[in-house]
Amino acid sequence: MSDETIASDELASTESEISTETDPDSDTDTDTDSTMVNHTARDDERATATAGFETDESTVGETIIESREISVWYDDNQALTDITMQVPEHGVTAMIGPSGCGKSTFLRCINRMNDLIDAARVEGELALAGKNVYDPDVDPVALRRRVGMVFQKPNPFPKSIYDNVAYGLEIQGVDGDHDEIVENALRKAALWDEVSDRLDENGLELSGGQQQRLCIARAIAADPEVLLMDEPASALDPVATSKIEDLIEELSQEYTVVIVTHNMQQAARISDKTAVFLTGGELVEFDDTQKIFENPEHQRVEDYITGKFG
């Protein structure tokens, strides 16, 4: 199985979202109702969204991802409009907004997963460490080794736990002790203690939360620079979600994490920077998470955060 085939298989689990992103009238957000606090007092609403919020400024570094007027179309439907932003190295950058606003589309621009969708067309520039990933000399497969991705629904391969993590190493010809790399990846994914004595078991036999952490281990085994996460906890129970959030914070010390989430409280808890996308594929505001939730610049952002729409 080639890298392109793996990427295509993984993308299949998210292609159903594309119709949502290209239809601004779509209403498929099942997470927002359960996570949006609908108080009358604006201050109470903000306080709920930012409860327990802390920012460690020391973890956020120089710009590693920079988009310049990125626009995306699916056939004649424009999903993103002139997105310009700079994502800092390390730390967690969250992207929030209602269904159909283009969050996941932008995420897929970073590692060129949209290339696998025939109807997709991308304009503009998106640089990783100063290099435009859409330059003709950039190999998308090599790019995806530097930019790992974890999808909304856990998608382990029908292989053993060990082989799920080691498979990418083998097909990419990664040198080194694969046993050690697999163990380190599982430890970083906070899964080793739970599976160390059953690495030969099928990964599909794990619980949903464990499967998602297995997918995270698979993504980081190749030692990427950036880890993309498309609603990684939306299909999990609260306990598994808490473990994923703790893991994201730990991983951000070593990797740049960019996460799409409908859960605004989650964004407030775990991210350093937040980008707010609104209907029409527009990036309305991008700033420190605390400022976004406590004192946004734009009225539309304030209205979204306080539950007046979305």
Side-chain angles (χ1 to χ4, degrees), residues 4-286:
E4 291 284 1
T5 302
I6 293 171
S8 180
D9 289 345
E10 292 182 336
L11 183 63
S13 67
T14 62
E15 283 186 331
S16 61
E17 300 169 14
I18 293 171
S19 60
T20 299
E21 290 185 350
T22 57
D23 180 4
D25 297 322
S26 176
D27 185 18
T28 60
D29 183 1
T30 59
D31 296 321
T32 302
D33 291 340
S34 64
T35 58
M36 181 84 70
V37 179
N38 194 23
H39 295 303
T40 302
R42 182 176 299 162
D43 291 343
D44 288 345
E45 290 161 338
R46 284 179 178 165
T48 300
T50 58
F53 174 83
E54 295 181 1
T55 301
D56 182 359
E57 296 287 350
S58 65
T59 64
V60 181
E62 299 297 323
T63 298
I64 187 171
I65 299 167
E66 181 176 6
S67 66
R68 307 180 191 98
E69 298 183 341
I70 284 286
S71 295
V72 178
W73 287 261
Y74 296 113
D75 289 329
D76 295 329
N77 298 313
Q78 188 163 5
L80 288 177
T81 304
D82 294 333
I83 305 301
T84 297
M85 64 186 293
Q86 295 179 331
V87 176
E89 186 177 24
H90 300 307
V92 181
T93 295
M95 295 189 287
I96 64 174
S99 294
C101 67
K103 306 181 300 296
S104 294
T105 290
F106 181 78
L107 199 72
R108 291 193 294 265
C109 287
I110 298 172
N111 65 350
R112 292 183 55 173
M113 290 294 278
N114 287 321
D115 289 12
L116 302 174
I117 303 169
D118 291 338
R121 175 167 56 92
V122 180
E123 293 184 359
E125 294 185 0
L126 196 148
L128 174 66
K131 172 66 173 176
N132 182 14
V133 302
Y134 287 94
D135 280 348
D137 60 343
V138 173
D139 179 0
V141 175
L143 172 66
R144 291 171 199 140
R145 294 172 188 155
R146 299 175 62 192
V147 184
M149 190 162 189
V150 177
F151 295 91
Q152 180 176 3
K153 295 181 180 179
N155 59 346
F157 300 139
K159 297 176 176 289
S160 71
I161 294 170
Y162 180 96
D163 287 342
N164 261 276
V165 182
Y167 186 70
L169 304 174
E170 296 168 358
I171 64 172
Q172 293 174 21
V174 175
D175 295 328
D177 185 340
H178 285 192
D179 289 348
E180 181 179 357
I181 294 174
V182 168
E183 178 177 342
N184 286 339
L186 288 170
R187 286 189 183 278
K188 289 180 181 179
L191 191 57
W192 175 257
D193 291 343
E194 299 171 33
V195 302
S196 60
D197 59 347
R198 51 191 180 115
L199 295 177
D200 291 334
E201 290 186 14
N202 195 306
L204 296 174
E205 296 177 2
L206 297 173
S207 68
Q210 289 174 324
Q211 287 186 17
Q212 192 66 304
R213 282 182 283 149
L214 179 62
C215 292
I216 292 172
R218 184 176 68 198
I220 63 179
D223 196 26
E225 300 166 49
V226 177
L227 188 59
L228 309 178
M229 295 186 168
D230 195 354
E231 299 190 61
S234 65
L236 305 179
D237 61 59
V239 173
T241 295
S242 179
K243 289 183 178 181
I244 293 294
E245 290 182 1
D246 290 344
L247 177 58
I248 289 171
E249 291 189 90
E250 292 175 9
L251 291 172
S252 69
Q253 304 300 313
E254 187 172 349
Y255 307 98
T256 300
V257 180
V258 184
I259 179 173
V260 165
T261 179
H262 278 112
N263 186 331
M264 288 195 291
Q265 285 78 20
Q266 182 177 78
R269 285 192 298 268
I270 68 174
S271 69
D272 304 288
K273 296 278 190 178
T274 295
V276 184
F277 289 73
L278 295 179
T279 302
E282 179 185 0
L283 174 62
V284 178
E285 194 163 340
F286 178 54

